Amino acid sequence: MPCEQQESGVPPARYVVGVDVGSTVVKCHVYDRAAAVRGSSCRKVESIYPRPGWVELDPEVLWSQFVGVIKEAVQVAGLHMRQIAGLGISTQRGTFITWHKRTGKPFHNFISWQDSRSAELVNSWNKSLLLKAEEAAKKNNCCFGTIDTWLLYRLTKGSVYATDCSNASATGIFEPYTKCWSPTLCSLLSIPTSIYPSVKDTSFNFGSADSEIFGVPIPIMAMVADQQSAMFGECCFHPGDAKLTMGTGGFWNVNTGERLFASWRGLYPLIGWKIGEEVVYLTEGCMSDVGTAIKWAQDINLFTNVDETEKMARSVVDSQGVCFVPGFQVSVNDPYLCASFMGLKPSTTRNHLVRAILESVAFRNKQLYDIIVKDVRIPLQNIRADGGVSNNSFVMQMTSDLINKKIEKPANADMSSLGAAFLAGLASGFWSDKEQLKKLRRIEAVFEPQKDSEEYKPAMDTWLQAMKRSLRW
């Protein structure tokens, strides 16, 4: 869609919209050509917990929030919908739903990526996680999709049933090299390949939102998985560029170019993005409970405001031997890892507990970094951080010390929204190429090593021992 005068009296389309449907909030930002935010809106994602360990999302509530943040952000920016050159959508990965092919009515709630009922599936192979999908598939009237696919289906009133390579690769059912749904896995799971959506480029004209939704047919120019979107927003375009996201969960991503790397120690390959003939692969390592643990600590009144945590952690010289083991979410390596505090003493204060939580984030960062260095045979270049916890300078500095590397923090921590906007802007001609995007990057802070990592060794060894005691609970 050309960025030119579209209608008499209405200014030309000079803005792009990036929406990030995350695990905690749905955020929308309107960006101008300088990638500056002109208007924003957000809604809290309300998770449903029908049973212990089960996590679901109400699809109608999510749809209402999605549409609502777009309308509000454009309104806050003082713009008309006709001024939007393109919409980019970033979504949490692995959260899926099935719905009726003809009516569009969901068969069940979204089953979240945080849901732990899959532990039963893995251990007893009773297919509990995919049971609803299988039942619907057997009726031969089912559509299966992650959040992006379902939103696109709703936006286009059922006329477009598709996903992109980044979201597809994150399901584990899509083969990244052949770029098709795996017939072997589909057969193993007893799910016909016919229920899966078509897979398109990441930066791509997916069609337009029905004019009844926003008043005008807004072009949908990008769909991308959240971690890959953040990688793109950080301009990690070259092999060896690395991103550290510390949000609800924690993720290390490394651009591996045209090569795929996996590891028995928990690293896995993904498609970062596909733009025309270019396909960029990533290697990812995941750590559970980053933002989740901090939110839990706030909910039980360890502190009032997240901004207090940095000061609290620095008010004591160490955690006094207290260790926090993250385990609220399913661990890749051990679904039964137990979240716990160890080493509590009568003299333990809230400050020690908070410091122990923040230290656990930095220690986990160090663990994953070491695995990446050993298993990914590409030298790490630039390391860039994003996500809410990246605003905590205690965690950032400690991580820099532990890995003995410089870490850049961007001025805008909402990288998933920006990445989706960048991809939409490229597809719509709003921005010309990735070189132009690099010039739009703004760095807020740079953290460089200040302590020898060996100074942390006793504390980290104690934490590793606590981790071992919490396994296979």
Side-chain angles (χ1 to χ4, degrees):
M1 183 176 180
C3 303
E4 300 171 353
Q5 187 82 15
Q6 296 181 24
E7 187 175 305
S8 178
V10 178
R14 300 194 179 190
Y15 306 89
V16 289
V17 170
V19 185
D20 177 32
V21 183
S23 305
T24 309
V25 295
V26 180
K27 292 182 182 179
C28 178
H29 297 301
V30 179
Y31 299 92
D32 62 19
R33 288 191 188 277
V37 175
R38 300 296 295 268
S40 302
S41 178
C42 69
R43 301 278 193 282
K44 182 180 178 182
V45 173
E46 298 291 346
S47 296
I48 302 167
Y49 305 95
R51 297 186 193 177
W54 291 29
V55 188
E56 300 181 357
L57 303 174
D58 185 313
E60 295 305 322
V61 171
L62 195 67
W63 168 251
S64 176
Q65 291 177 323
F66 175 80
V67 172
V69 294
I70 295 174
K71 289 181 176 179
E72 185 172 84
V74 173
Q75 183 180 17
V76 169
L79 304 175
H80 191 282
M81 286 290 182
R82 290 192 183 90
Q83 293 175 263
I84 305 304
L87 168 64
I89 303 171
S90 163
T91 53
Q92 56 177 283
R93 307 169 307 179
T95 297
F96 76 88
I97 195 169
T98 57
W99 65 94
H100 195 284
K101 187 182 296 184
R102 182 173 52 82
T103 67
K105 184 177 179 180
F107 290 117
H108 54 89
N109 285 335
F110 277 105
I111 297 179
S112 169
W113 67 274
Q114 298 169 294
D115 194 287
S116 64
R117 76 188 79 173
S118 60
E120 301 171 30
L121 172 66
V122 172
N123 286 277
S124 64
W125 206 246
N126 62 12
K127 303 177 185 177
S128 60
L129 177 61
L130 297 170
L131 184 58
K132 292 176 181 177
E134 287 185 31
E135 289 174 349
K138 288 172 184 175
K139 297 175 184 175
N140 201 29
N141 58 5
C142 174
C143 292
F144 170 96
T146 44
I147 288 179
D148 63 302
T149 304
W150 184 77
L151 288 174
L152 179 64
Y153 192 88
R154 290 289 296 264
L155 285 167
T156 60
K157 294 294 182 73
S159 63
V160 183
Y161 180 42
T163 186
D164 91 294
C165 286
S166 69
N167 277 291
S169 72
T171 64
I173 310 172
F174 187 79
E175 296 180 349
Y177 260 141
T178 60
K179 299 176 192 65
C180 66
W181 299 107
S182 169
T184 303
L185 284 173
C186 289
S187 175
L188 180 66
L189 297 171
S190 303
I191 298 179
T193 56
S194 60
I195 76 166
Y196 291 102
S198 60
V199 182
K200 308 294 185 184
D201 285 7
T202 308
S203 181
F204 180 79
N205 188 342
F206 288 89
S208 294
D210 190 276
S211 58
E212 290 184 7
I213 300 171
F214 299 111
V216 295
I218 296 179
I220 305 160
M221 306 303 285
M223 295 204 305
V224 58
D226 55 3
Q227 297 309 316
Q228 290 95 315
S229 186
M231 192 80 170
F232 202 88
E234 292 273 27
C235 295
C236 292
F237 299 145
H238 305 290
D241 285 349
K243 171 194 69 70
L244 166 59
T245 292
M246 293 179 287
T248 302
F251 299 87
W252 275 90
N253 295 88
V254 180
N255 184 325
T256 59
E258 299 177 351
R259 303 165 68 187
L260 278 174
F261 287 97
S263 165
W264 64 269
R265 289 183 289 186
L267 302 182
Y268 43 91
L270 294 168
I271 294 177
W273 52 83
K274 183 177 185 297
I275 304 175
E277 296 301 312
E278 179 194 43
V279 180
V280 172
Y281 293 102
L282 310 180
T283 289
E284 180 174 281
C286 172
M287 49 188 174
S288 63
D289 299 325
V290 175
T292 307
I294 293 172
K295 182 181 182 300
W296 167 80
Q298 183 176 9
D299 289 343
I300 65 168
N301 298 317
L302 282 183
F303 51 85
T304 305
N305 191 297
V306 174
D307 296 337
E308 302 171 28
T309 59
E310 182 183 330
K311 183 179 179 181
M312 293 174 72
R314 288 203 165 102
S315 71
V316 290
V317 294
D318 55 36
S319 66
Q320 208 179 59
V322 175
C323 297
F324 174 72
V325 177
F328 294 119
Q329 297 167 8
V330 177
S331 166
V332 172
N333 299 316
D334 181 6
Y336 298 112
L337 177 68
C338 173
S340 57
F341 276 107
M342 293 189 189
L344 297 175
K345 304 168 184 67
S347 56
T348 299
T349 67
R350 292 185 182 190
N351 294 340
H352 294 116
L353 297 178
V354 168
R355 183 173 178 123
I357 292 173
L358 299 186
E359 285 181 345
S360 75
V361 177
F363 289 149
R364 193 71 179 99
N365 283 337
K366 167 66 171 171
Q367 265 193 327
L368 271 178
Y369 174 82
D370 287 346
I371 293 171
I372 289 168
V373 169
K374 289 177 182 176
D375 294 355
V376 178
R377 294 178 295 281
I378 294 177
L380 265 60
Q381 307 296 325
N382 304 300
I383 300 177
R384 295 161 181 166
D386 66 87
V389 183
S390 70
N391 293 319
N392 189 298
S393 63
F394 178 88
V395 172
M396 292 291 291
Q397 185 58 58
M398 187 172 175
T399 299
S400 175
D401 292 343
L402 284 166
I403 68 174
N404 195 33
K405 288 284 186 179
K406 179 178 74 173
I407 305 175
E408 295 179 355
K409 180 187 176 299
N412 183 347
D414 292 335
M415 282 295 114
S416 292
S417 297
L418 181 60
F422 275 172
L423 287 157
L426 290 178
S428 63
F430 188 77
W431 289 300
S432 57
D433 54 36
K434 288 185 287 188
E435 290 303 313
Q436 183 182 7
L437 300 183
K438 288 181 188 177
K439 296 175 183 177
L440 301 177
R441 287 190 67 241
R442 298 292 180 268
I443 300 172
E444 181 180 279
V446 177
F447 294 86
E448 299 196 51
Q450 294 180 358
K451 289 184 180 181
D452 191 312
S453 61
E454 284 298 308
E455 293 184 40
Y456 296 96
K457 191 175 186 304
M460 187 163 184
D461 286 346
T462 302
W463 180 79
L464 289 170
Q465 186 64 29
M467 285 284 289
K468 289 178 182 177
R469 292 179 179 270
S470 298
L471 294 174
R472 295 174 291 279
W473 189 262

